[in-house]
DNA sequence: ACAGGCTCCTGCAGGC
DNA sequence: TGCCTGCAGGAGCCTG
């Protein structure tokens, strides 16, 4: 399931391949599910636009687009901020659990559950594939509404003070809070479990009762785990692949996630599993307090 | 306002 | 072997 590191990896890969390319033709399959606004609106909106840049915001992939039938993209290498200023529309992709965004040759075999195909002027094709259809696609014309921004703080850049404020006075378990995208954008089940292990905190701890030192340990653990996972191209559990269709390696580094009954990498005692906030939750009862 | 539970959806694993 | 059931989960919605 794609979380921040997987989405970051995909966004970087797609950006390298399609930046500066122009959308020539759009094909959507008829399923209602993945479209936040109507496929006809998205199709019409996307056609003829140049992809200025592709980047990650929370768990969303944002394609910054130039004006309809407008000028070609700015020279490559120009900073993203500059592109964002000139961006006149966005295509926002959320991968849900099983979504893939692939940039490849048009004659690549068509995967089952392909919901969108964007033909590009270079001859490449950008495809959105999503078997479980939890993913979402949205087109935004920025002349009519503001650009997309994640609801929560980015766990890679959130400061100590901001982080503390997010959890202050809340009574829900820290694991549930980490999964709440309105607080932090980008953390999902894998990295919530892994960061709580590295911070030595039990997932059920009430967030309002964590000490200042514990919260800071968690913030740093979260950042370290996410940055390391990005370096390794993400975690490939389920069927995650990057923009090239290549699997990540961070699943080999997991300390608790999906390691129920296996020995803890630190104390050798068995990892336990429970259900919390409706999610499978993995922890070491000896190393986490 | 907040917290918890249900729902969507499909592929896969396990049991019989 | 083949069928059936249960489980996995992000996020929006509903309820208490």
């Amino acid at each position: 399931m794609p979380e921040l590191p997987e989405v970051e990896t995909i966004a970087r890969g797609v950006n390298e391949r399609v930046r500066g390319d122009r959308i020539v033709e759009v094909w959507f399959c008829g399923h209602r599910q993945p479209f936040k606004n109507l496929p006809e609106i998205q199709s019409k909106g996307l056609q003829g636009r140049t992809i200025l840049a592709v980047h990650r915001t929370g768990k969303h992939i944002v394609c910054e687009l130039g004006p309809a039938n407008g000028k070609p993209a700015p020279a490559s290498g120009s900073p993203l901020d500059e592109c964002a200023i000139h961006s006149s529309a966005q295509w926002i992709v959320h991968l849900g659990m099983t979504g893939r965004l692939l940039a490849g040759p048009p004659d690549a075999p068509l995967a089952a559950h392909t919901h969108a195909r964007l033909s590009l002027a270079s001859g490449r094709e950008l495809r959105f594939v999503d078997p479980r259809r939890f993913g979402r696609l949205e087109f935004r014309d920025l002349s009519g509404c503001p650009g997309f921004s994640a609801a929560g703080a980015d766990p890679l850049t959130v400061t100590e003070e901001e982080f503390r404020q997010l959890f202050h006075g809340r009574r829900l378990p820290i694991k549930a809070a980490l999964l709440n995208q309105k607080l932090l954008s980008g953390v999902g089940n894998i990295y919530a479990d892994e960061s709580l292990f590295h911070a030595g905190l039990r997932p059920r701890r009430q967030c309002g009762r964590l000490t200042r030192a514990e919260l800071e340990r968690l913030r740093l653990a979260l950042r370290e785990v996410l940055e390391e996972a990005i370096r390794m191209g993400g975690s490939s559990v389920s069927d995650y692949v990057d923009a090239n269709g290549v699997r990540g390696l961070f699943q080999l580094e997991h300390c608790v996630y999906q390691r129920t009954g296996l020995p803890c990498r630190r104390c050798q005692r068995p990892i336990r599993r429970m259900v919390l906030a409706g999610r499978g939750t993995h922890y070491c009862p000896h190393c986490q307090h």
Side-chain angles (χ1 to χ4, degrees):
Chain A
M1 51 236 64
E3 301 179 29
L4 188 152
E6 292 77 33
V7 177
E8 179 71 35
T9 305
I10 294 168
R12 285 180 189 177
V14 170
N15 184 54
E16 271 170 38
R17 268 161 205 77
V18 307
R19 187 190 178 113
D21 218 333
R22 200 165 55 87
I23 302 164
V24 177
E25 207 175 326
V26 182
W27 173 90
F28 287 128
C29 104
H31 286 299
R32 178 183 55 84
Q33 192 75 12
F35 301 105
K36 273 191 97 166
N37 42 13
L38 289 171
E40 304 86 69
I41 291 173
Q42 298 203 25
S43 175
K44 207 175 161 195
L46 290 168
Q47 213 131 27
R49 292 194 195 255
T50 298
I51 301 170
L52 304 180
V54 180
H55 59 98
R56 173 194 70 80
T57 301
K59 287 183 199 170
H60 295 79
I61 298 169
V62 181
C63 302
E64 304 287 351
L65 304 169
N69 298 308
K71 286 168 264 174
S76 66
S78 62
L80 176 63
D81 289 353
E82 205 177 300
C83 287
I85 290 164
H86 295 115
S87 165
S88 53
Q90 292 174 326
W91 193 44
I92 303 142
V93 178
H94 191 289
L95 300 170
M97 275 194 61
T98 53
R100 301 179 182 194
L101 192 64
L102 299 160
D107 54 356
L110 199 65
H113 309 289
T114 301
H115 304 301
R117 295 167 73 180
L118 274 59
S119 300
L120 306 175
S122 65
R124 280 208 176 94
E125 215 171 79
L126 192 57
R127 294 181 185 175
F128 175 70
V129 182
D130 184 17
R132 288 189 206 173
R133 291 195 247 159
F134 277 22
R136 292 289 180 271
L137 303 174
E138 181 187 359
F139 174 80
R140 275 194 195 199
D141 191 330
L142 299 185
S143 62
C145 61
F148 177 82
S149 63
D154 192 293
L156 293 179
T157 55
V158 66
T159 66
E160 180 175 2
E161 178 58 26
E162 285 167 348
F163 195 75
R164 210 166 49 231
Q165 284 305 317
L166 293 178
F167 304 110
H168 181 77
R170 291 180 183 272
R171 284 155 62 173
L172 81 170
I174 185 64
K175 158 95 185 229
L178 287 174
L179 295 178
N180 185 341
Q181 301 301 298
K182 289 183 181 121
L183 300 178
L184 281 173
S185 291
V187 183
N189 208 31
I190 298 173
Y191 299 102
D193 281 5
E194 291 299 313
S195 60
L196 284 169
F197 172 80
H198 287 285
L201 298 172
R202 289 267 180 122
R204 251 197 234 286
R205 291 280 301 279
Q206 233 179 55
C207 32
R209 293 195 159 184
L210 293 173
T211 66
R212 181 181 280 238
E214 285 173 331
L215 280 172
E216 182 58 1
R217 233 158 60 210
L218 178 59
R219 184 181 74 96
L220 297 175
L222 194 52
R223 198 169 69 190
E224 263 170 49
V225 165
L226 292 170
E227 281 175 350
E228 179 63 10
I230 291 171
R231 276 195 288 277
M232 302 193 70
S235 299
S236 284
V237 298
S238 179
D239 49 3
Y240 160 75
V241 289
D242 70 12
N244 287 321
V246 177
R247 291 169 64 82
L249 290 170
F250 192 71
Q251 68 278 7
L252 305 173
E253 305 291 315
H254 290 176
C255 289
V256 287
Y257 185 76
Q258 286 190 345
R259 296 193 73 245
T260 311
L262 294 172
C264 170
R265 295 194 196 278
R266 200 173 287 160
C267 74
Q268 309 306 317
R269 283 167 228 209
I271 297 300
R272 280 203 206 148
R273 181 183 186 276
M274 63 176 164
V275 175
L276 204 163
R279 304 282 172 264
T281 298
H282 314 76
Y283 67 103
C284 172
H286 184 252
C287 297
Q288 293 171 254
H289 303 281

